[in-house]
């Protein structure tokens, strides 16, 4: 199969590079196209550069559309007439629904939401499919995405919250621990970079421990926070103060997601 990627920004570049280097024997060619030709100057030699989106769509069995929501409608209109009947159209925008895409073309369509952690092959990549996608299409796409981490199949209605939990979560986690590290620095003479390194290593190890030992959050807290101890004093603050912040975080982001979808709907 030939894999085409429209949009060679950070996500499109990451996918193209990963697919080309994956060693997946089912991949024939990896092709890219981008509106700004300057960005294509860094394309490695094993990836084929197409002159435009239509050329890429004509030559590809799977077409990943990695463009801004505002450009999605025009891009799909451009390539729809030249896609082969068996081609799988893949949107990397969770705000664009299958119903919107169907107004332009009624083809086999999937939505894919990777995480930043794909850069180290540990993405929790979300996927959903419209009713035209076959079992063979699913196997092919999920095998392709396996080179960047785990694949999680969700119904379309859950892709919004799923995106908060895997795609947005690195940003949420980084902002939370940025605040914690800056607060800790007020109370210590340990250099700031060492504070960050200590917290990051502990955070990463805690996640690995929980996954390997199949531990719950409650079990970790119980193991560390003995009754009347120092850790319990700190966890009590977290459980008292953080729930309201977490509720507001998801309320704000999900509302923003709804607004983006409404704005995107106008171009379809």
């Amino acid at each position: 199969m030939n894999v085409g990627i429209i949009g060679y920004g950070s996500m499109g570049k990451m996918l193209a590079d990963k697919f080309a280097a994956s060693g997946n024997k089912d991949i024939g060619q990896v092709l890219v196209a981008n509106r700004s030709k300057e960005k294509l100057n860094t394309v490695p030699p094993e990836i084929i550069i197409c002159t435009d989106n239509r050329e890429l769509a004509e030559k590809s069995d799977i077409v990943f559309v990695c463009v801004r929501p505002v450009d999605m409608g025009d891009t799909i209109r451009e390539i729809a007439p030249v896609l082969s009947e068996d081609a799988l159209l893949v949107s990397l925008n969770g705000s664009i629904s299958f119903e919107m895409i169907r107004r332009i073309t009624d083809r086999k369509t999937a939505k894919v939401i990777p995480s930043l952690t794909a850069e180290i092959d540990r993405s929790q990549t979300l996927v959903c499919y419209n009713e035209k996608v076959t079992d063979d299409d699913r196997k092919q796409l999920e095998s392709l995405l396996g080179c960047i981490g785990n694949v999680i199949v969700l119904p379309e209605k859950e892709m919004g919250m799923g995106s908060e939990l895997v795609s947005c979560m690195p940003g949420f986690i980084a902002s939370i621990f940025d605040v914690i590290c800056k607060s800790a620095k007020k109370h210590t003479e340990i250099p700031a970079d060492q504070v960050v390194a200590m917290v990051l290593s502990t955070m990463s190890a805690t996640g690995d421990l929980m996954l390997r030992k199949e531990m719950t959050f409650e079990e970790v807290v119980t193991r560390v926070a003995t009754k009347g101890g120092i850790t319990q004093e700190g966890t009590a603050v977290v459980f008292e103060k953080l729930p309201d912040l977490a509720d507001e975080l998801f309320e704000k982001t999900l509302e923003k997601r709804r607004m983006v979808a409404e704005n995107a709907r106008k171009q379809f």
Side-chain angles (χ1 to χ4, degrees), residues 3 13 28 78 86 102 123 138 145 159-160 170 188 217 222 254:
V3 181
K13 182 181 187 308
E78 179 186 5
D86 289 330
R102 195 175 295 116
S123 176
R138 291 172 182 245
L145 294 171
M159 289 291 278
T188 182
F217 292 115
T222 300
L254 291 170

Side-chain angles (χ1 to χ4, degrees), residues 209-246:
L209 172 69
M210 293 179 67
L211 289 170
R212 292 180 192 179
K213 299 282 189 177
E214 297 184 346
M215 297 175 71
T216 65
F217 292 115
E218 184 179 355
E219 286 172 334
V220 173
V221 172
T222 300
R223 288 279 299 274
V224 181
T226 55
K227 270 192 176 181
I230 295 169
T231 306
Q232 187 183 55
E233 197 71 21
T235 55
V237 174
V238 172
F239 286 126
E240 179 186 355
K241 304 290 187 182
L242 195 56
D244 288 343
L245 185 148

